[in-house]
Amino acid sequence: METTEIYREWLTAGALSEEEKAELAAIASDPAEIEERFYRELEFGTAGLRGVIRQGTNGMNRHVVRRATQGLADYMNGIPGAAAKGVVIAYDSRRFSDVFAKEAACVLAANGIRVRLFSTLHSVPQLSYAVRHQGCEAGIVITASHNPAKYNGYKVYWAYGGQCTPAQADEIYKEIQKVPFFTAKSVCYDAAVADGSIGLIGAEEDAAYYEVTKSVLNRPELLKEKGGSLPIVYTPLHGAGNVPVNAILKEIGITNVYTVPEQQLPDGNFPTVKAPNPEDPDAFTLATKLAEEKGATVILATDPDSDRLGISVKTHAGDWVVLTGNQIGCILLNHIITERKAAGTLPENALVVKSIVSTTLADAICEKNGVKLENVLTGFRFISEKIDECERTKESSYLFGFEESFGFLAGGFSRDKDAVCSAMLAAEACIVYAERGMTLYDALQEIYATYGIYKEKVSSYTLEGKAGMEKIKGCMQALRDKPFTELGGVAVAVSEDYAARLRKRACGCTEEISLPKSDMLRYVLEDGSWLVVRPSGTEPKLKLYTGANAPDEATLDALLARLFNAAETRIKAELA
């Protein structure tokens, strides 16, 4: 069906409200906008749905949410016992998140599936934990993570607490595609709550999550004694982190916490930032001002669904430095290993898991401490699967996992990146290092002195819309047709194509890659430097990752610049 026909079908659909019809009527004379909204359906993958909030098949709206949920319900009703186990639903502070959550709950209830809906906005890690704690078959969270305000999304979790697998996502998507728009079953929300088919959860679930999360602390006695000695500034960036982060910090004895007042309350428009992203130094502007007023040397920031943690630290020169996700991951990793070794509680079969695009400094830390490390594909679901594997086989004891994109998880009680737990551990690390007269910035320098200097650089190339997607695909194909043989004057020793699952060495020999299939290219250079190119799984972006290590910082900076510039020049040429 042509996009104009689909547009007219939506414009005249009885299911649309007058406001929704008016939105579509306003683009009647804009064929490019009609094409953009209706040329495709939002695809359902391992990250669920994500798109711009707007009417149309290529947007996040209640009709897309209803249809997706009907498909999920049909999939679940084909699994014996799944409906009785049910689904737990959470939502963040984004525009329409609460509306979409209630729409999903009503569709599930209409299909005879038990529903447990958080009564207020909650974080992703709390949803992930609740799936297992509530004994549910699946979970849904309405969020677009750290994307700009115009986005929202719909993520599906499975019984093990992590996001659904690619095979499950494919099966769910098949069911979704069978559902014509505007045909999803639904019930009245208030009536469903009244008769118990939609159950509301909150305080008791929060208490259980806090209690199990506190079990990963390394120095609880020190925190009770000295937790109020160090001022810490925190910002939830208008998201879901305000309540859980402040609650858990208070419970463990971190009492000298100042929350940025302008960013404390939930607001899906995120009025004080360009994007609610703790990776962005600009997101720390208000927090830095407050930190200077309060004499703090560390700032913690969480994104809207509170799965990502950012940290800014003050140097002895008085400058503020926003740490990278790799640096935060290594500080937390080193803190956990050091404290567990000192206490004699580090398991002999301890396992650390990180994404393959994250720093190799973690490899050096683990190797020197006798801890096993495994690399997985990008996407925290793969770390979640490793946690589940540890629990089932008992062959390894999961200790910590992280991604360079500011996602960290200790303990594995949640099965997704957990900024609430990570903020707690970061605050603990602050107190522990303060006992030695050090800040987290000092801790990072100590890590470099012990394990070597490592740096990484990540760049994203945003290409929105249909034309953008085609350019990204074209660039990846061009890189496959003519692979890099050298970068910055250093020869490529190993090239890996994860779509073909093939590794090729400079000698010409090839071998199969054991990790799952993925649209990603990776190169390892003769000096150990590395490069990865991949399309984002959740945003209209092509991503470039580079990493290297060297004996001194000047040499490392020059090497990384040559490597990155050579790669970027080629990529920009292919995208032009």
Side-chain angles (χ1 to χ4, degrees), residues 503-536:
R503 177 181 294 113
K504 184 176 181 180
R505 301 188 182 278
C507 62
C509 56
T510 60
E511 58 190 70
E512 185 179 350
I513 293 172
S514 60
L515 292 178
K517 185 177 179 180
S518 177
D519 188 9
M520 180 175 79
L521 298 170
R522 180 172 180 262
Y523 302 89
V524 180
L525 279 58
E526 287 184 340
D527 63 356
S529 304
W530 56 273
L531 167 92
V532 170
V533 184
R534 57 177 284 273
S536 170

Side-chain angles (χ1 to χ4, degrees), residues 213-223 332-343 345-346 399 410 424-426 428-429 432:
T213 299
K214 288 187 293 185
S215 70
V216 303
L217 285 171
N218 302 283
R219 301 283 293 277
E221 299 83 6
L222 177 64
L223 298 183
L332 294 179
L333 172 62
N334 191 63
H335 168 64
I336 292 168
I337 290 177
T338 300
E339 294 301 321
R340 294 288 292 270
K341 284 183 76 173
T345 57
L346 182 67
L399 186 69
M424 179 190 74
L425 287 172
E428 178 188 55
V432 169

Side-chain angles (χ1 to χ4, degrees), residues 306-463:
S306 202
D307 62 352
R308 285 177 166 85
L309 172 72
I311 300 178
S312 182
V313 293
K314 193 173 187 178
T315 69
H316 292 292
D319 301 318
W320 284 91
V321 176
V322 176
L323 300 179
T324 68
N326 284 316
Q327 290 170 335
I328 297 169
C330 288
I331 288 172
L332 294 179
L333 172 62
N334 191 63
H335 168 64
I336 292 168
I337 290 177
T338 300
E339 294 301 321
R340 294 288 292 270
K341 284 183 76 173
T345 57
L346 182 67
E348 291 185 5
N349 62 344
L351 175 66
V352 170
V353 189
K354 70 175 180 69
S355 64
I356 200 166
V357 297
S358 299
T359 180
T360 51
L361 174 56
D363 301 63
I365 293 172
C366 287
E367 183 178 2
K368 194 161 186 176
N369 286 282
V371 174
K372 182 181 178 183
L373 180 142
E374 290 191 25
N375 287 295
V376 294
L377 291 179
T378 303
F380 217 89
R381 176 182 57 78
F382 295 105
I383 296 176
S384 303
E385 289 177 0
K386 284 293 179 182
I387 300 171
D388 191 56
E389 182 182 304
C390 289
E391 193 172 83
R392 286 185 290 101
T393 66
K394 311 298 181 185
E395 292 178 2
S396 299
S397 296
Y398 174 79
L399 186 69
F400 184 69
F402 78 97
E403 292 185 317
E404 58 76 35
S405 55
F406 291 69
F408 321 100
L409 178 63
F413 308 111
S414 168
R415 295 292 169 85
D416 206 341
K417 44 192 178 287
D418 187 340
V420 180
C421 178
S422 301
M424 179 190 74
L425 287 172
E428 178 188 55
C430 286
I431 301 299
V432 169
Y433 281 109
E435 286 293 283
R436 296 174 54 196
M438 298 170 63
T439 66
L440 290 190
Y441 185 79
D442 297 325
L444 181 63
Q445 305 315 307
E446 184 177 76
I447 289 171
Y448 288 152
T450 305
Y451 302 104
I453 306 174
Y454 292 71
K455 284 189 179 182
E456 299 75 33
K457 186 173 177 61
V458 181
S459 188
S460 297
Y461 309 91
T462 301
L463 298 103

Side-chain angles (χ1 to χ4, degrees), residues 68-236:
T69 309
Q70 183 63 56
L72 174 63
D74 293 341
Y75 174 75
M76 289 184 65
N77 279 327
I79 302 172
K85 290 181 179 178
V87 179
V88 60
I89 304 174
Y91 59 92
D92 71 2
S93 63
R94 287 182 175 274
R95 292 188 300 126
F96 299 103
S97 283
D98 56 340
V99 174
F100 295 159
K102 289 178 180 179
E103 292 282 7
C106 289
V107 172
L108 291 171
N111 284 273
I113 294 173
R114 172 180 175 260
V115 180
R116 293 295 177 264
L117 172 67
F118 275 103
S119 57
T120 58
L121 77 167
H122 273 70
S123 67
V124 157
Q126 288 173 286
L127 179 281
S128 175
Y129 172 74
V131 171
R132 296 169 65 238
H133 187 242
Q134 290 280 330
C136 290
E137 186 73 14
I140 297 171
V141 61
I142 307 298
T143 179
S145 190
H146 58 294
N147 280 38
K150 66 180 181 179
Y151 286 88
N152 211 331
Y154 177 110
K155 294 168 71 173
V156 174
Y157 291 72
W158 217 249
Y160 76 106
Q163 292 180 42
C164 59
T165 66
Q168 285 176 317
D170 288 345
E171 292 301 313
I172 294 169
Y173 189 42
K174 288 177 185 176
E175 294 298 329
I176 293 172
Q177 290 177 303
K178 294 176 186 177
V179 180
F181 276 102
F182 317 120
T183 64
K185 300 175 185 177
S186 190
V187 296
C188 170
Y189 174 76
D190 290 335
V193 172
D195 68 23
S197 52
I198 295 177
L200 300 180
I201 59 175
E204 290 185 4
E205 189 63 33
D206 294 345
Y209 167 78
Y210 296 152
E211 196 61 30
V212 74
T213 299
K214 288 187 293 185
S215 70
V216 303
L217 285 171
N218 302 283
R219 301 283 293 277
E221 299 83 6
L222 177 64
L223 298 183
K224 292 296 182 184
E225 179 186 353
K226 299 288 185 71
S229 62
L230 192 70
I232 294 174
V233 166
Y234 166 63
T235 174

Side-chain angles (χ1 to χ4, degrees), residues 246-262:
N246 276 299
I248 204 162
L249 291 181
K250 184 177 179 181
E251 286 191 18
I252 66 173
I254 305 291
T255 55
N256 199 0
V257 179
Y258 299 92
T259 303
V260 178
E262 301 94 332

Side-chain angles (χ1 to χ4, degrees), residues 267-286:
D267 189 334
N269 292 310
F270 311 115
T272 65
V273 291
K274 293 178 182 177
N277 187 352
E279 302 177 48
D280 183 358
D282 290 340
F284 288 85
T285 300
L286 290 174

